[in-house]
Amino acid sequence: MDTNILVIGSGISGLTYAIKMAEQNPSLEIVMISKNSLLESNTRYAQGGIAVVSNFQKDSFDKHVEDTLIAGAGECDREVVEFVVKEGHERLQELIDWGTHFDKQKNGLHLTQEGGHSEKRIVHYKDKTGLVIQKSLIRKIKTFSNITLLKNHTLVDLITDHHSGSQYQRCYGAYVISNLEQEIIKISAQITVLSTGGGGQLFSHTTNPENATGDGLGAAYRAKVYMEGLPFVQFHPTALYPKINGNTFLISEAVRGEGAVLKSVSGKRFMTDKHPMAELAPRDIVARSIAEVVNETGDDFVLLDCESISEKEFENQFPTIKENCQKIGINPPKDSIPVIPAAHYFCGGISVNHYGETSLKGLYAIGECSYTGLHGANRLASNSLLESLVFSHRAALNSLNQMKEDLPPKEFYLQLPEWKEEHYISNEKISAIGRMKKQLQNLMTAKVGIFKTSSGLTEAEMELKNIFSETQDIYRQNKLTLGICELRNMVSVAYLMIKQSQDLKQNKGVFYNQDYVE
Ligand SMILES: Cc1cc2nc3c(=O)[nH]c(=O)nc-3n(C[C@H](O)[C@H](O)[C@H](O)COP(=O)(O)OP(=O)(O)OC[C@H]3O[C@@H](n4cnc5c(N)ncnc54)[C@H](O)[C@@H]3O)c2cc1C
């Protein structure tokens, strides 16, 4: 396959980028691949909403900028924070114009508050914000005849000079596996966009869906693309305990924004002793406080007491949360909700400039797989959907300009080599993949999770070496499958996360090494 633009991933960032490109230049051929259905993504599960300044009587861009910088613990790029906050308003309006509905009140959009925000500024649709955004973008993208949508297709590796033997020092598309037929397809492209989301599945408890295995990061690593901030994994303080059908369900921060408080199982409210903003303190502080209480008491969870929210209000604003709690026999707001922290968001990722360009020409990274400088060491709640919208727009404008530059000739792309199956096929050890994923998740949770130590990181590195060599064996000895691709990526990302964590000599934001505490 040969195309102008290859977009990898169909969450808010990939969809927004592709729509913009198709709108701006209908003669472009655009191919979008997605690992599963077009809907399955982190975006789909976003509950809280998008942080955008809209009530200019009370709120201001400056306040949003300050809140973001404080949460980011000195690691944010101020210039990026400023343009993202300012441009958010226009991008949100676009989303509304494309058919996304948000909750309204008398004088405009209904706004909620989340941890770390000094004002109510979260635009939302009940507790299903991501789902309504994702659905409206999918409806919109299907109206373009110049976009080919390939679901159930997974990125294997980016095509670079390493494959082509040329010296343009660019990305030329990607090798992709069709999940069902397990065939590897070469998709050559003048511009390739990674919008593959995060990698919460590296940990045992995560709010991310099963397909969030850090694939874009793994492929970028193999293509020698520069990456930053991987130790900054945000753990969401309140995920429902226990799992439902193997998945960890998120209890949005907006519930605390509406007045719910955290208590130990014995009934003691503890956040008031930990931070002046109590339950609405930045996420890292709340998550660590909960983990401390759980460690101290030996209980499996703490409780989220929602009694201050009326029955009607809860039902109206949090219908999905209520429904999921009821699945485990809990009926909020009457009953308190059992919660624990869970891996939620990768603040770090592929380094990009202000237009989503990576260190490899022709390759862009947008959304959660990127590191833009917006979040620094800790993302402010609901700033990620905002970042996706702003950077998709900027990357699209930049791509259109890049298309006008001197690109390698068309014949060059057509002659790129097919994927070489270098492996001898014995189908040995293929059944070990599930076990190895679990082993990796347990290792990362125990040694590279909320609390780290220097010796724990060294132990993690040693154990990961074993997992790596077993993964390499499986990779070499088997026909490539989706499971192998994912495991390979998870191991690469885990390795980078451990190495970058070892290099950090100071606690910042969500990064917390107990050896650095005085
Ligand atoms: C439960 C939950 C609640 C959240 N709530 C909020 C919130 O309220 N506000 C907020 O701002 N943020 C929230 N977030 C974070 C936010 O949803 C994500 O950061 C954002 O949606 C990321 O969008 P994205 O387009 O970058 O990636 P995603 O939406 O994750 O999309 C990634 C896409 O890439 C595809 N993909 C992955 N690997 C491959 C591969 N190898 N080949 C092909 N395709 C691939 C996936 O199938 C998917 O289509 C939440 C996240 C979760 C999990």
Side-chain angles (χ1 to χ4, degrees):
M1 250 183 140
D2 180 54
T3 185
N4 297 117
I5 313 282
L6 170 62
V7 182
I8 304 171
S10 61
I12 184 172
S13 44
L15 289 166
T16 307
Y17 172 93
I19 290 169
K20 291 203 162 246
M21 291 299 280
E23 264 186 353
Q24 293 289 323
N25 186 347
S27 68
L28 285 177
E29 282 175 38
I30 301 169
V31 173
M32 171 179 278
I33 65 160
S34 189
K35 205 199 281 196
N36 308 103
S37 71
L38 290 180
L39 195 60
E40 190 60 353
S41 60
N42 276 357
T43 302
R44 170 198 183 155
Y45 296 98
Q47 295 177 1
I50 311 182
V52 181
V53 178
S54 350
N55 177 3
F56 288 96
Q57 274 163 352
K58 277 197 88 185
D59 201 0
S60 69
F61 291 143
D62 286 346
K63 283 188 188 173
H64 190 178
V65 167
E66 271 319 298
D67 293 344
T68 304
L69 293 174
I70 291 169
E75 288 292 301
C76 301
D77 178 334
R78 181 180 263 275
E79 200 183 335
V80 172
V81 176
E82 283 176 354
F83 74 66
V84 170
V85 163
K86 283 184 190 140
E87 291 173 20
H89 202 67
E90 212 176 315
R91 301 286 78 81
L92 178 77
Q93 191 51 50
E94 244 160 25
L95 207 52
I96 294 170
D97 295 344
W98 290 347
T100 312
H101 295 288
F102 294 103
D103 280 348
K104 294 200 179 89
Q105 58 189 5
K106 237 197 224 152
N107 304 321
L109 293 164
H110 182 263
L111 306 174
T112 59
Q113 191 163 9
E114 292 187 301
H117 287 274
S118 55
E119 293 293 342
K120 286 195 170 195
R121 64 169 76 98
I122 316 297
V123 178
H124 68 109
Y125 178 78
K126 301 192 185 295
D127 58 358
K128 307 169 197 271
T129 311
L131 187 65
V132 293
I133 293 174
Q134 182 84 352
K135 281 188 173 169
S136 72
L137 291 175
I138 290 174
R139 262 196 309 274
K140 175 87 181 166
I141 206 163
K142 287 187 173 165
T143 63
F144 294 96
S145 57
N146 56 333
I147 303 182
T148 305
L149 299 168
L150 296 177
K151 58 185 177 180
N152 292 317
H153 281 70
T154 303
L155 163 71
V156 176
D157 266 323
L158 296 165
I159 307 175
T160 62
D161 288 338
H162 168 76
H163 305 95
S164 71
S166 68
Q167 309 244 315
Y168 290 110
Q169 296 181 344
R170 291 185 64 90
C171 180
Y172 312 109
Y175 297 110
V176 165
I177 187 166
S178 58
N179 300 355
L180 304 179
E181 297 82 9
Q182 300 198 352
E183 274 168 19
I184 299 186
I185 308 160
K186 176 191 71 179
I187 307 183
S188 53
Q190 289 159 318
I191 286 187
T192 307
V193 182
L194 288 172
S195 46
T196 46
Q201 287 293 331
L202 262 78
F203 297 88
S204 309
H205 281 281
T206 178
T207 60
N208 293 189
E210 263 180 34
N211 68 5
T213 49
D215 294 358
L217 305 180
Y221 172 64
R222 288 189 292 279
K224 300 186 169 54
V225 175
Y226 191 55
M227 264 175 271
E228 273 177 276
L230 288 178
F232 302 128
V233 176
Q234 186 175 73
F235 284 76
H236 196 288
T238 52
L240 183 62
Y241 183 90
K243 290 183 181 185
I244 302 172
N245 298 328
N247 296 316
T248 303
F249 179 76
L250 175 79
I251 306 296
S252 167
E253 204 146 310
V255 180
R256 276 175 281 138
E258 293 303 310
V261 295
L262 286 160
K263 292 181 174 172
S264 65
V265 173
S266 62
K268 185 178 181 312
R269 190 173 170 198
F270 52 87
M271 277 315 298
T272 38
D273 300 338
K274 307 267 184 191
H275 194 276
M277 289 172 88
E279 278 77 8
L280 293 179
R283 279 185 182 172
D284 57 315
I285 293 167
V286 185
R288 266 200 304 277
S289 304
I290 295 174
E292 270 163 16
V293 171
V294 166
N295 286 347
E296 276 162 26
T297 59
D299 294 324
D300 290 330
F301 51 83
V302 298
L303 293 169
L304 186 63
D305 181 338
C306 309
E307 262 193 335
S308 63
I309 309 172
S310 74
E311 190 81 40
K312 199 172 152 214
E313 232 181 308
F314 201 97
E315 209 141 291
N316 185 40
Q317 212 172 317
F318 308 116
T320 321
I321 293 178
K322 191 168 178 83
E323 194 187 309
N324 278 280
C325 287
Q326 282 171 339
K327 287 183 190 161
I328 58 157
I330 301 286
N331 195 13
K334 200 161 58 64
D335 297 339
S336 296
I337 307 174
V339 289
I340 46 153
H344 184 57
Y345 184 81
F346 273 31
C347 301
I350 303 162
S351 309
V352 293
N353 66 11
H354 292 180
Y355 300 94
E357 284 186 289
T358 69
S359 56
L360 181 63
K361 197 84 183 150
L363 179 70
Y364 289 77
I366 45 177
E368 190 168 340
C369 69
S370 67
Y371 180 87
T372 63
L374 175 70
H375 309 302
N378 188 15
R379 173 189 70 132
L380 182 68
S382 287
N383 263 359
S384 40
L385 294 173
L386 171 70
E387 178 189 53
S388 292
L389 288 177
V390 170
F391 270 87
S392 305
H393 174 79
R394 286 177 155 252
L397 294 184
N398 193 272
S399 306
L400 291 166
N401 283 336
Q402 204 182 122
M403 295 292 293
K404 295 178 198 147
E405 286 173 15
D406 250 1
L407 295 170
K410 187 96 184 146
E411 307 76 60
F412 168 81
Y413 287 93
L414 297 174
Q415 284 166 19
L416 287 166
E418 298 298 326
W419 173 259
K420 272 200 211 87
E421 192 85 63
E422 288 164 353
H423 328 287
Y424 76 91
I425 308 297
S426 71
N427 280 343
E428 248 179 60
K429 291 191 188 169
I430 191 98
S431 60
I433 289 177
R435 169 188 55 78
M436 290 173 64
K437 274 191 184 170
K438 273 222 167 75
Q439 192 184 342
L440 180 105
Q441 289 167 337
N442 290 339
L443 175 70
M444 294 301 285
T445 304
K447 308 254 156 83
V448 200
I450 297 181
F451 297 114
K452 297 179 235 329
T453 60
S454 302
S455 57
L457 289 172
T458 309
E459 285 160 23
E461 188 185 359
M462 304 288 278
E463 195 174 331
L464 190 71
K465 275 193 183 140
N466 298 332
I467 302 177
F468 170 74
S469 61
E470 207 178 332
T471 305
Q472 282 298 92
D473 285 350
I474 294 180
Y475 175 66
R476 289 203 196 97
Q477 293 168 7
N478 293 274
K479 187 170 157 55
L480 203 57
T481 63
L482 172 60
I484 298 176
C485 289
E486 289 184 335
L487 180 63
R488 201 160 74 112
N489 292 323
M490 288 166 79
V491 172
S492 300
V493 180
Y495 173 75
L496 274 178
M497 197 176 279
I498 292 168
K499 291 313 278 177
Q500 291 191 3
S501 296
Q502 287 171 333
D503 289 344
L504 272 182
K505 297 296 173 209
Q506 207 190 335
N507 286 337
K508 281 176 204 165
V510 293
F511 178 80
Y512 195 78
N513 183 330
Q514 284 172 309
D515 294 334
Y516 301 161
V517 182
E518 279 149 25

